[in-house]
Amino acid sequence: MLIRAGYDMAFEADLATPMLAALSVHPSRNRDLRSMQRITTVPEVPLYDYMDGFGNICTRLTMPAGGITLSCSFTIEDAFIPDAVAPDAQAVPVSDLPDEIMVYLLGSRYCETDRLVDIAWPLFSRITPGWAQVQAIVAYTHQRIAFGYEHARPTKTAFDAWREQTGVCRDYAHLAIALCRCMNIPARYCTGYLGDMDLPAVVGDMDFSAWFEVFLAGGWYTFDARHNSPRAGRILMARGRDAADAALVTTFGLSKLSRFQVHTHEEARDRAFLLPARIWT
């Protein structure tokens, strides 16, 4: 399937304000791009990219006094296959985990394992470690939290979401991640596009989405506590320990988000702009 995706967002600020944006498609999906992916700004300002420690593409820029608009639209090819299901996947003992995976067992800014471990163990310790345990955590989180945009706030943590029982997709992800880590299962936060093309009806306004991945025998597997079912059409943008590592936009000064639009829809192949092969000599 060809998917057309992108965003248009505007910020306001009284003073020139440095910004950091993780709005590019993750490098693991670069080969799937079928059109150019380029962030444009109004007014035009210098941009440059670097790769952070989690493998995300980050863009640095400075918003001029008054504000700025960031926008991008691109076409990407996707197999449109639901998330893999591997019910026999077992947990990897902590002593056998690769060194680079250990960071995803630790507590982090939004995933306070120290506050949730005494909640997690009575709930999940009797379930076979691995896929079954993770699925139980996903189902619990799905039922524990009631979705609502009015419940979102940038300071909300996994423990807050557990206590208040409300949140948005990132809160579902944070709580499930924290509970997995409490059970010694490495988990990492993911953010990107997830349209409604695989659903029978449109679900709310289009937005960026958050989900998570866990490390079991066989590698990383995708889970989604908000939907509690495999989904198709994910377009990954960034990963990290939690939303602090994969924030879509960070401003280093006072600013206000004044416009926010995200689009994701199927694009007919005969209308897609496919990049031609080119040989440089």
Side-chain angles (χ1 to χ4, degrees):
M1 174 186 287
L2 292 178
I3 298 175
R4 189 71 179 174
Y7 57 83
D8 181 73
M9 59 184 73
F11 296 84
E12 299 175 357
D14 293 331
L15 303 174
T17 304
M19 302 180 72
L20 182 65
L23 291 168
S24 297
V25 171
H26 193 268
S28 62
R29 296 300 306 270
N30 279 349
R31 290 188 176 185
D32 299 323
L33 287 168
R34 297 297 178 263
S35 74
M36 293 182 63
Q37 178 200 204
R38 179 175 176 267
I39 299 175
T40 60
T41 67
V42 178
E44 291 188 4
V45 298
L47 309 172
Y48 81 86
D49 296 338
Y50 72 92
M51 183 177 290
D52 70 9
F54 297 99
N56 307 316
I57 300 300
C58 299
T59 302
R60 295 185 62 174
L61 66 147
T62 296
M63 170 170 46
I68 197 169
T69 295
L70 306 178
S71 59
C72 182
S73 190
F74 60 91
T75 297
I76 190 168
E77 186 162 6
D78 190 83
F80 210 68
I81 298 173
D83 305 322
V85 176
D88 294 329
Q90 300 178 353
V92 179
V94 174
S95 57
D96 295 337
L97 287 171
D99 295 341
E100 65 273 15
I101 303 297
M102 292 299 293
V103 67
Y104 298 111
L105 277 182
L106 306 178
S108 55
R109 164 69 178 87
Y110 291 106
C111 300
E112 319 101 309
T113 52
D114 56 336
R115 303 185 73 178
L116 287 162
V117 65
D118 290 338
I119 296 168
W121 273 85
L123 288 170
F124 308 114
S125 61
R126 296 183 180 180
I127 302 172
T128 303
W131 189 274
Q133 199 173 56
V134 175
Q135 187 55 63
I137 289 171
V138 169
Y140 172 85
T141 302
H142 179 75
Q143 294 183 8
R144 179 78 185 181
I145 299 176
F147 183 88
Y149 288 112
E150 69 275 16
H151 304 305
R153 66 176 186 273
T155 59
K156 196 168 191 175
T157 67
F159 183 76
D160 292 334
W162 177 85
R163 180 181 56 194
E164 298 169 21
Q165 301 185 52
T166 58
V168 292
C169 56
R170 73 175 236 162
D171 301 310
Y172 287 84
H174 283 151
L175 179 55
I177 288 169
L179 293 174
C180 284
R181 292 177 185 172
C182 288
M183 303 312 299
N184 295 329
I185 296 177
R188 63 188 182 188
Y189 181 90
C190 301
T191 187
Y193 299 87
L194 179 60
D196 297 322
M197 292 90 74
D198 62 329
L199 299 179
V202 175
V203 180
D205 296 329
M206 184 58 206
D207 194 357
F208 290 116
S209 187
W211 58 90
F212 72 106
E213 296 172 341
V214 300
F215 188 82
L216 301 173
W220 290 99
Y221 295 91
T222 297
F223 287 88
D224 190 328
R226 180 192 171 188
H227 298 102
N228 192 24
S229 63
R231 294 289 308 276
R234 298 186 194 275
I235 305 173
L236 179 67
M237 296 168 71
R239 294 189 181 107
R241 292 168 297 180
D242 57 31
D245 296 328
L248 297 172
V249 177
T250 303
T251 59
F252 299 90
L254 296 178
S255 64
K256 176 185 177 182
L257 179 65
S258 57
R259 185 172 71 253
F260 181 80
Q261 297 175 334
V262 179
H263 67 269
T264 306
H265 58 86
E266 182 179 2
E267 180 169 285
R269 286 181 177 270
D270 59 352
R271 291 188 292 108
F273 171 66
L274 302 181
L275 289 177
R278 186 172 185 180
I279 299 176
W280 294 90
T281 58

